[in-house]
Amino acid sequence: YRGNPVLWKRIFKKERVIKELIESAPVIYAMQELVEAHESDDEKFTIVDLCCGKGYLSMFLSECLDKEKVAKCILIDKAWPMCNAELKPHHMNWDHIYGPVPDSMDVEDESYFTTWPIPLHTSKQDLKQSSNPRQMKKYIFDRIDGPIIILAVHLCGTLSMKAVDMYN
């Protein structure tokens, strides 16, 4: 986020990033091992990052994993705005995913979305809603070709059970 001090300040709070990296490190390592061992040239993984918050885990994975083996990361959180919706105060700001790249960065692309090695996509989903499993099946899982990896770092209580149900 060089050239965008406002965004950098919002995303990179030293203690927060270190905490996120420490919590994500075992998942990153496991994902590197899994992706590296994957030998299919025809199928790419899709990573579904549940209750992702700002998406630090997926951002780390986008930078660390082989983009030839991972198609995309889908960041799931109830605080994201709906697709193509106006960002409102109660929404999580997604400028670090879709926002415009400042002219000072000498990047031909117009948004951060195109700068991630593995594309990051957001999806507004409330895992506690009873209709959510059907919605996610219809709009996410049924539209993915290849293996799906469901990840979550910050789940607690009911959300953990929802993730296990989703996996099953």
Side-chain angles (χ1 to χ4, degrees):
Y1 301 113
R2 178 179 49 104
N4 192 338
V6 173
L7 183 56
W8 178 256
K9 187 175 181 180
R10 183 173 59 78
I11 291 296
F12 191 82
K13 294 184 173 118
K14 183 177 163 186
E15 295 79 21
R16 179 72 176 178
V17 172
I18 291 171
K19 174 189 172 294
E20 293 287 339
L21 183 56
I22 289 169
E23 292 173 350
S24 299
V27 178
I28 295 168
Y29 175 77
M31 289 300 304
Q32 286 175 317
E33 294 286 306
L34 177 70
V35 169
E36 188 176 304
H38 186 64
E39 295 184 11
S40 174
D41 292 333
D42 299 338
E43 293 185 319
K44 288 186 171 187
F45 289 107
T46 295
I47 297 170
V48 177
D49 185 359
L50 300 177
C51 300
C52 66
K54 289 182 175 140
Y56 288 103
L57 174 60
S58 289
M59 289 188 278
F60 294 143
L61 292 173
S62 178
E63 296 290 343
C64 294
L65 298 179
D66 183 351
K67 65 183 178 183
E68 300 303 318
K69 295 184 177 186
V70 180
K72 62 185 166 186
C73 297
I74 302 174
L75 291 72
I76 307 289
D77 202 283
K78 68 179 184 177
W80 292 119
M82 294 294 282
C83 184
N84 298 322
E86 177 186 345
L87 187 67
K88 298 199 174 162
H90 65 279
H91 290 140
M92 189 164 18
N93 188 319
W94 58 15
D95 281 351
H96 60 292
I97 307 292
Y98 302 118
V101 175
D103 293 334
S104 63
M105 286 186 60
D106 296 327
V107 176
E108 292 179 26
D109 304 307
E110 295 180 1
S111 80
Y112 287 113
F113 179 77
T114 58
T115 65
W116 291 104
I118 296 170
L120 304 177
H121 300 266
T122 61
S123 180
K124 179 182 181 66
Q125 302 288 336
D126 185 349
L127 299 182
K128 291 184 178 179
Q129 282 186 345
S130 60
S131 63
N132 186 265
R134 287 187 309 279
Q135 288 177 341
M136 286 186 69
K137 181 178 182 332
K138 181 178 179 182
Y139 294 107
I140 296 175
F141 297 122
D142 287 349
R143 295 180 179 189
I144 295 172
D145 293 324
I148 300 169
I149 300 170
I150 300 173
L151 300 176
V153 173
H154 297 115
L155 295 184
C156 57
T158 306
L159 292 174
S160 297
M161 292 187 298
K162 296 286 186 179
V164 170
D165 288 343
M166 191 178 303
Y167 171 82
N168 289 334

